[in-house]
Every structure is written in structure tokens, then in C-alpha cells.
């Protein structure tokens, strides 16, 4: 069924003359009501799933690979994702296909095999962050910042499910990052925007659009970029993106960046069949990449990449009073048997919680902790009660957890029962902590007692809907 809402005339008029904008085809695709559904798989979890990516195909109707990413797939239809335990295991992320083009910008402008410090500056709910984490090396760091507190919690949930260790979730204003001058090698700014690129998928958003909101978004984008800019190192890559078609938020921002900062615009290689349109900004000829849904199998999107040409070295002055403390030898010894043997981690203590962070990133952890509010770092391991660890949910979902941890495998119906935080019945499980698995991927913890099983799934993450498909 087609969309009832008409596209704003002021938007259509403002796009006349934009390369790649064909009004008739653009209006027709919005009226068609056609929906494109896509997911990006988590390579770390696919590797651990019972039958690799085949496990995913039992619940996801894959159609074809998205050509500009090695990790994304179109689906033939939109399943009811909530009732797929694999989603809750962090096996994949439901994400719009065009926005996965960030992978091309990363691969074409950076050597991803080396150690990089990466900032995702507008990170919630975590589509780009989970993708970036799958692209960077294990020795690299991802700082995912979200300024709005309520949105930072969903960001944290999605990154915990993704299961990687080399990440911090911060909840700061972009201006706070000026204290980390020249710290980052890569900065991804997927800016808040007027959102016209999503009108096909969310026609109800059409009513909120106005030329005035485009102006306000453009000014806010400039403020965000100016606030974050000092934290990018000399030679670092800046990736800017929006889901708006408006020149004020796209080409004009490129001109503004090139006029006000020492940046080189970076062209990206495209394949013709992708249908992506290369544009250049009117004043400074900065390269941008436009996605129109009548030409691309995806929603409206815009992306541009730059290389910074100024700034000095980052100087780290350790604070006399570090905000984080290393765990004691005894605490570390209690935790290590839960982790994969040989994992190169340091164990830290934040209040009563123990957390694991890559040993190679110790300096980075201390620097960020000195200057920003860290909401989450690495993998939360749990708390000690006496000598015994009470494992945290994040440990269950982490790829750091020892593979031979006691586990019970559930079929789909029982896994959903577990995810609703209801009673689960397990046959022959030994008493103590056990992982609940589906297709060999952990969903969370249970504690098996002689006469019952306690379900430790986090209450605020549980499935509230009834049904199973
Ligand atoms: N990158 C995310 C993803 O791929 O899932 C989507 C980001 S969304 C387009 C923009 C984000 O910027 C929102 O989470 C919003 O809360 C945040 N934001 C809003 N105002 C902001 C500001 N003034 N400074 C920084 N971020 C802001």
C-alpha cells in the first residue's frame, strides 16, 4: 500500500537541480510504499554460532548481499525480529542498507589492520558503532558518545549485545571532547538531521519537516562538528553523514567545513551498479555521496570523508588521582578462570563492579576516564560475593567468555520464555551458574538451584510482547 502522506512541496522544490534528483521517480518510489529490509551480521558471533551464518538463515529470509559492505544482507520480507532469539544474542543488527556505506569510507581511507582510536560522536542507537566495532582491529579503540542520556542507555544495550571489549560508551556534550585534543585517528559524525531520507520508511515523519527545521539542523551540525574537530589528530579521517536530502545539511556543510578547517576532501571509489551519486559542493568542490531510493536499494543518505591537515601530537598527562582503579591480585585471580585463556586483558574496578578492558588500551582508558563520563567500558564481568563471582549479563554476551562455560541449549520457544524472564525448566542441569544458549550463542545467565532455576535475564531488556512469530 502506498504512502498517504504527500512529500513537502518545499522539499521537492529545494531539490531541483541537485545531481541525481529526478522528481517523478523520487515521488513515485515514495508513493509505492515499497519497503527494503536489511540486517548486518556480527562476524564475531557468526563465527561462534552452531552452524555459522547458516544458523541465521533458519530465522532470517536472506535475499542478497548488500554490495558496499561485507556484512550486510537484504531480506525478502520483514520478519518479526523481536521473536528471534538471535537478535537478542547480538548475532545481527537491523540496519538500513545505505548507512552501511560507512564501511566503504573506512576501508578506502584507512588501514584497518593497525591500531586506531575511533570516535562515533552521534552514536545512539548504535548502528554505526556496532558496524565500526566489527571493522576495526582488536587493538583499536571505539569511543561511542551519545549526548542524550536516555538514548545512551539503548546505545549501551546494543553494544553490550554486540559483545566486543574494545569499546567505551560515554555520555558527554561534544564540547567536552576539546579536552582530548588530537586524540582520535577517526571521527564519525552521523549528525542529527531533518530526516527526509527516511520519509519512505516513516511517512509519519513528513509532518514534522519544515524549511525552518532544515536551517536549525544545519546550524546544529556546524556546532557539533566545530566542537568535536579539535579532538581529531593531524592526518585523521573525518566521516560526516546525514539522512537528509537538503543541501543545507549536505553540500553546504562540506563547503563550511572546507572553508573553516584545514581539511582535504577525500573521493571514494564507487561501482556504477550501486546507483550512488557522487556530487561536489558548489564552492570548495568537496566530494559527497548521495543515496536516492529510486536509484539505490536503500533509503536516503549522504556521506563525505575528509583528511585533517593540522593539529599536533596528543600529549597525555596522567592524572594524580586516576578515576579508575585496577582490581587487586585476588580479584583478578577470581575473574580470570571465567575468561578465554590467554585473553590480553586488564581487570579494573568501578565501585563494586569488575570490568575487563584490553591491556593494550590501558592508557586510553585512563585518559578518557580523566576527561569524560564513562557510562560503560569494556566488558562488565560482575561483582564478587566473598571469593565467588556473581557474573554480569554483559559477560554472558561477550566474546571474552570462556567457550567451555557450563551451558544449556534451548529450542526457540524455551529461549523466548527465557527472554521474557519467565520460568524455564531445564533437565539435568548441574547446580550453579549456567549460560542459556540458542544456536550455540549465549542469551544470558540462569542459576540452577536444587529445586528451581532462577532466571537472571535483565528485567529492563525482557521481551514484553506475547507470541512467537
Ligand atoms: N549513528 C547512529 C546510528 O547509526 O545508529 C544514529 C545517530 S542519529 C542520526 C543522531 C544522534 O545525534 C542521535 O542519537 C541524537 O540524540 C544525537 N544528537 C542530538 N543532538 C545532538 C547534539 N547537539 N550533539 C551531539 N549529538 C546530538
Amino acid at each position: 500500500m502506498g504512502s498517504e502522506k504527500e512529500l513537502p512541496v518545499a522539499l521537492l522544490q529545494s531539490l531541483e537541480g541537485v545531481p541525481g534528483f529526478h522528481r517523478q521517480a523520487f515521488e513515485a518510489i515514495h508513493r509505492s510504499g515499497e519497503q527494503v529490509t536489511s540486517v548486518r551480521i556480527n562476524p564475531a558471533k557468526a563465527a561462534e554460532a552452531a552452524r555459522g551464518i547458516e544458523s541465521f538463515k533458519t530465522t532470517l529470509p536472506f535475499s542478497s548481499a548488500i554490495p558496499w559492505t561485507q556484512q550486510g544482507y537484504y531480506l525478502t520480507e520483514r520478519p518479526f525480529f523481536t521473536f528471534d532469539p538471535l537478535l537478542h544474542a547480538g548475532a545481527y543488527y537491523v540496519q538500513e542498507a545505505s548507512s552501511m556505506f560507512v564501511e566503504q569510507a573506512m576501508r578506502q581511507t584507512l588501514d584497518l589492520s593497525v591500531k586506531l582510536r575511533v570516535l562515533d560522536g552521534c552514536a545512539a542507537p548504535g548502528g554505526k558503532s556496532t558496524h565500526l566495532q566489527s571493522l576495526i582491529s582488536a587493538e583499536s579503540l571505539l569511543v561511542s558518545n551519545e549526548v542524550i542520556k536516555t538514548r545512551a542507555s539503548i546505545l549501551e544495550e546494543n553494544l553490550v549485545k554486540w559483545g566486543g571489549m574494545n569499546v567505551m560508551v560515554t555520555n558527554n556534550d561534544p564540547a567536552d571532547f576539546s579536552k582530548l585534543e588530537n586524540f582520535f585517528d577517526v571521527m564519525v559524525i552521523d549528525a542529527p538531521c531533518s530526516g527526509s531520507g527516511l520519509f519512505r520508511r516513516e511517512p509519519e515523519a513528513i509532518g514534522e519537516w519544515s524549511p525552518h527545521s532544515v536551517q536549525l539542523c544545519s546550524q546544529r551540525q556546524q556546532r557539533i562538528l566545530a566542537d568535536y574537530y579539535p579532538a581529531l589528530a593531524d592526518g585523521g579521517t573525518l566521516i560526516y553523514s546525514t539522512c537528509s536530502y537538503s543541501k543545507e545539511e549536505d553540500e553546504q556543510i562540506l563547503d563550511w567545513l572546507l572553508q573553516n578547517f584545514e581539511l582535504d576532501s577525500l573521493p571514494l571509489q564507487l561501482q556504477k551498479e550501486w546507483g550512488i551519486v557522487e556530487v561536489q559542493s558548489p564552492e570548495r568542490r568537496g566530494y559527497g555521496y548521495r543515496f536516492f531510493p529510486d536509484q539505490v536499494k536503500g533509503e536516503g543518505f549522504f556521506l563525505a570523508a575528509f583528511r585533517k591537515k593540522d593539529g599536533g601530537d596528543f600529549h597525555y598527562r596522567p592524572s594524580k588521582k586516576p578515576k579508575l582503579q585496577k582490581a587487586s591480585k585476588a580479584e583478578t585471580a577470581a575473574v580470570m578462570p571465567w575468561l578465554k585463556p590467554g585473553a590480553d586483558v586488564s581487570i579494573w574496578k568501578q565501585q563494586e563492579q569488575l570490568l575487563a578492558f584490553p591491556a593494550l588500551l590501558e592508557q586510553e582508558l585512563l585518559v578518557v576516564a580523566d576527561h569524560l563520563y564513562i557510562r560503560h567500558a569494556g566488558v562488565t564481568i560482575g561483582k564478587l560475593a566473598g571469593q565467588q563471582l556473581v557474573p554480569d549479563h554483559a559477560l554472558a554476551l561477550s566474546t571474552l567468555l570462556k567457550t567451555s562455560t557450563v551451558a544449556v541449549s534451548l529450542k526457540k520457544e524455551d529461549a523466548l520464555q527465557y527472554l521474557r524472564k519467565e520460568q524455564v525448566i531445564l533437565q539435568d542441569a548441574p547446580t550453579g551458574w549456567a549460560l542459556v544458549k540458542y544456536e550455540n550463542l549465549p542469551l544470558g545467565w540462569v542459576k540452577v538451584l536444587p529445586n528451581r532455576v532462577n532466571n537472571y535475564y535483565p528485567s529492563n531488556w525482557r521481551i514484553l510482547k506475547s507470541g512467537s512469530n
Side-chain angles (χ1 to χ4, degrees):
M1 207 178 71
S3 151
E4 304 295 314
K5 284 252 186 201
E6 288 298 321
L7 292 166
V9 175
L11 173 68
L12 296 170
Q13 283 172 347
S14 73
L15 296 180
E16 291 298 347
V18 167
F21 174 67
H22 305 294
R23 183 164 174 164
Q24 270 192 341
F26 185 82
E27 286 188 282
I29 198 77
H30 281 83
R31 255 188 247 114
S32 74
E34 181 189 303
Q35 295 292 329
V36 178
T37 305
S38 49
V39 297
R40 186 170 38 73
I41 56 139
N42 183 343
K45 300 248 170 160
E48 295 199 353
R51 292 167 291 131
I53 196 164
E54 290 299 313
S55 295
F56 299 36
K57 291 186 181 164
T58 55
T59 40
L60 292 178
F62 281 152
S63 84
S64 56
I66 300 171
W68 45 84
T69 160
Q70 296 171 11
Q71 300 167 0
Y73 294 86
Y74 293 112
L75 304 185
T76 54
E77 58 183 14
R78 191 175 182 89
F80 205 87
F81 289 112
T82 307
F83 295 149
D84 181 8
L86 288 175
L87 178 74
H88 304 272
Y92 62 90
Y93 192 96
V94 183
Q95 191 181 21
E96 194 285 297
S98 304
S99 56
M100 298 183 206
F101 185 70
V102 75
E103 179 170 329
Q104 285 300 320
M106 292 287 286
R107 289 192 193 279
Q108 292 191 31
T109 65
L110 292 155
D111 177 357
L112 295 176
S113 66
V114 303
K115 176 175 175 175
L116 296 171
R117 296 173 184 153
V118 181
L119 169 69
D120 184 353
C122 301
K128 305 282 180 313
S129 276
T130 51
H131 196 174
L132 294 170
Q133 202 180 16
S134 297
L135 293 173
I136 59 179
S137 64
E139 59 180 359
S140 296
L141 170 72
L142 173 65
V143 175
S144 285
N145 185 58
E146 170 55 45
V147 67
I148 298 175
K149 197 173 170 192
T150 47
R151 290 176 60 81
S153 75
I154 178 74
L155 172 66
E156 180 180 2
E157 178 178 336
N158 283 328
L159 282 165
V160 165
K161 286 183 177 159
W162 212 244
M165 178 171 48
N166 53 348
V167 64
M168 286 178 220
V169 177
T170 57
N171 177 210
N172 282 83
D173 192 278
D176 297 339
F177 282 74
S178 63
K179 296 174 218 151
L180 290 176
E181 212 174 330
N182 305 319
F183 183 72
F184 291 100
D185 304 300
V186 186
M187 208 174 251
V188 176
I189 307 296
D190 185 33
C193 69
S194 60
S196 47
L198 300 182
F199 282 170
R200 175 171 61 162
R201 207 177 63 183
E202 296 164 12
E204 59 285 358
I206 293 176
E208 285 157 36
W209 188 92
S210 71
H212 182 61
S213 84
V214 170
Q215 287 305 333
L216 291 180
C217 286
S218 173
Q219 288 161 10
R220 181 166 58 180
Q221 287 147 2
Q222 292 174 18
R223 278 200 306 276
I224 294 171
L225 286 162
D227 282 346
Y228 276 131
Y229 185 80
L232 185 62
D234 190 1
T237 298
L238 168 66
I239 298 173
Y240 172 75
S241 62
T242 72
C243 57
S244 163
Y245 299 111
S246 295
K247 287 172 283 187
E248 293 85 342
E249 301 176 76
D250 297 344
E251 285 88 341
Q252 288 180 18
I253 294 288
L254 307 195
D255 273 337
W256 176 84
L257 277 168
L258 292 164
Q259 274 152 5
N260 289 283
F261 302 98
E262 287 298 315
L263 289 165
D264 276 338
S265 165
L266 303 177
L268 301 175
Q269 299 300 314
L270 300 178
Q271 290 183 25
K272 199 167 174 291
E273 58 277 17
W274 294 353
I276 300 165
V277 180
E278 181 180 279
V279 292
Q280 281 191 284
S281 60
E283 302 287 331
R284 296 293 178 115
R285 316 300 299 159
Y287 293 98
Y289 297 89
R290 280 185 169 269
F291 293 64
F292 290 103
D294 50 299
Q295 290 150 68
V296 161
K297 201 171 172 193
E299 304 310 312
F301 187 61
F302 177 86
L303 183 141
F306 302 87
R307 174 102 51 236
K308 184 169 170 175
K309 294 189 293 181
D310 64 351
D313 294 331
F314 175 72
H315 296 291
Y316 170 57
R317 283 178 298 281
S319 129
K320 293 208 174 71
K321 270 198 190 164
K323 295 259 165 46
L324 278 173
Q325 308 298 328
K326 278 269 182 73
S328 69
K329 275 204 173 127
E331 288 164 334
T332 303
V335 159
M336 292 313 274
W338 290 74
L339 310 185
K340 279 190 178 136
D344 196 12
V345 299
S346 315
I347 307 298
W348 299 81
K349 206 168 176 183
Q350 210 178 17
Q351 278 114 32
E352 289 308 299
Q353 291 283 6
L354 295 166
L355 65 91
F357 206 74
L360 285 170
L361 294 172
E362 218 170 288
Q363 290 263 311
E364 281 83 354
L365 178 64
L366 289 171
V367 173
V368 176
D370 267 355
H371 297 296
L372 300 176
Y373 169 65
I374 300 183
R375 197 190 152 97
H376 174 91
V379 174
T380 310
I381 303 286
K383 290 179 189 163
L384 286 179
Q387 307 279 46
Q388 301 297 314
L389 182 74
V390 179
D392 191 89
H393 186 65
L395 179 62
L397 293 178
S398 159
T399 49
L400 187 63
L401 181 70
K402 192 171 66 177
T403 324
S404 58
T405 305
V406 175
V408 283
S409 290
L410 297 185
K411 296 253 183 305
K412 187 174 174 192
E413 284 302 322
D414 296 327
L416 289 172
Q417 185 88 344
Y418 172 74
L419 292 166
R420 292 194 176 96
K421 202 172 168 63
E422 287 171 5
Q423 186 70 41
V424 281
I425 301 190
L426 307 176
Q427 309 293 344
D428 308 326
T431 55
W433 291 103
L435 276 178
V436 169
K437 286 186 170 181
Y438 176 75
E439 286 284 346
N440 203 41
L441 291 182
L443 297 174
W445 297 107
V446 287
K447 194 165 188 189
V448 184
L449 303 173
N451 52 353
R452 65 171 199 278
V453 175
N454 285 345
N455 183 337
Y456 274 78
Y457 197 72
S459 302
N460 49 344
W461 292 11
R462 73 187 193 280
I463 300 179
L464 297 170
K465 290 195 178 77
S466 53
S468 61
N469 52 44

